[in-house]
Amino acid sequence: MNIGLYIRLSKEDEQNIESKSITSQKSYLNNYINKFDYQNKYEYIDDGYSGTNFDRPAFKKLILDIENKKIDTIITKDSSRLGRNITWVSYYLEEYFPSKNIRFISIDDNYDSKDNNVDTDLLTFKNVFNDYYCKDISKKIKSSLKIKKLDGKFTGWKAPYGYIRNKENYHQIEIDKIVVDNVKLIFP
């Protein structure tokens, strides 16, 4: 058995080091696979990537390794780590993985695609909620941003050239005195 451990987290920690959740997922999956007889173990980690799309570097590498017959089993902490888009998750679980004879195990969902006694409808139901969760959060974030904008608050991730964030109020910007002359040259 050649195992691929797939690990994903939507947001990176503030630092440029591996997030605690990623470390925790790794440890959890490695403890779980001790009961398996495997020849090779590979880790695929997408730290800071949304589960709403599958354009993720480690996931692409996982698919490439499936195509090259490098792995035959994928293990995740739960199905939401694979993704949160019901259409794509269903495609991979119901069509792609079976067509490539890939065993998929989702530990927290108590799901193993090679176990004929497992209720796949329950996993499908969970994946619908994973998809809904993302859509619901997206609506809440958009609503929050709209309110901030209506209140005159700056909501960008970075102040435009010529401005800096106010140190006392994160949602206010002010003229950057260091580059003010440059801006005056550009916009006379």
Side-chain angles (χ1 to χ4, degrees):
M1 183 181 303
N2 295 311
I3 293 176
L5 304 179
Y6 184 72
I7 300 163
R8 183 190 61 78
L9 183 67
S10 292
K11 291 192 174 198
E12 294 175 305
D13 282 349
E14 298 280 325
Q15 308 148 348
N16 287 333
I17 58 173
E18 190 176 89
S19 70
K20 290 177 185 171
S21 179
I22 293 294
T23 304
S24 174
Q25 284 182 57
K26 259 201 234 183
S27 175
Y28 186 70
L29 295 177
N30 279 301
N31 286 335
Y32 179 81
I33 66 170
N34 287 335
K35 63 183 174 181
F36 291 101
D37 179 30
Y38 60 92
Q39 290 79 33
N40 297 296
K41 175 191 80 168
Y42 305 94
E43 291 180 348
Y44 304 88
I45 301 171
D46 281 320
D47 193 357
Y49 288 88
S50 170
T52 58
N53 73 64
F54 285 78
D55 187 23
R56 302 176 236 141
F59 186 78
K60 288 179 177 180
K61 174 72 172 128
L62 173 82
I63 296 300
L64 183 63
D65 287 351
I66 289 171
E67 293 295 327
N68 292 326
K69 300 184 185 329
K70 190 173 176 180
I71 61 170
D72 53 32
T73 302
I74 299 169
I75 302 176
T76 61
K77 180 181 181 293
D78 60 58
S79 62
S80 71
R81 299 304 90 209
L82 180 65
R84 291 187 181 271
N85 178 312
I86 186 64
T87 303
W88 283 103
V89 171
S90 295
Y91 164 73
Y92 283 107
L93 293 180
E94 297 171 18
E95 293 180 39
Y96 182 77
F97 293 159
S99 75
K100 301 294 181 181
N101 203 24
I102 298 296
R103 180 181 185 181
F104 178 75
I105 299 171
S106 173
I107 301 169
D108 286 355
D109 296 320
N110 198 28
Y111 178 82
D112 183 340
S113 63
K114 296 297 182 195
D115 183 356
N116 293 329
N117 296 324
V118 171
D119 184 6
T120 58
D121 292 338
L122 183 59
L123 184 64
T124 301
F125 191 65
K126 286 181 179 183
N127 288 326
V128 168
F129 274 103
N130 289 335
D131 185 81
Y132 173 76
Y133 171 79
C134 286
K135 291 175 181 169
D136 186 49
I137 290 294
S138 177
K139 286 179 188 174
K140 289 175 182 176
I141 290 170
K142 287 177 185 173
S143 174
S144 174
L145 286 174
K146 183 178 179 182
I147 291 168
K148 287 177 183 173
K149 288 176 184 178
L150 289 172
D151 287 344
K153 295 179 178 177
F154 178 71
T155 59
W157 70 276
K158 183 178 180 182
Y161 183 74
Y163 294 90
I164 57 172
R165 287 193 183 273
N166 182 301
K167 291 179 182 171
E168 294 159 15
N169 184 344
Y170 183 78
H171 294 291
Q172 291 294 325
I173 57 174
E174 55 191 39
I175 293 173
D176 183 351
K177 293 176 180 140
I178 296 173
V179 298
V180 70
D181 291 335
N182 294 344
V183 174
K184 286 179 182 178
L185 284 172
I186 296 168
F187 301 102

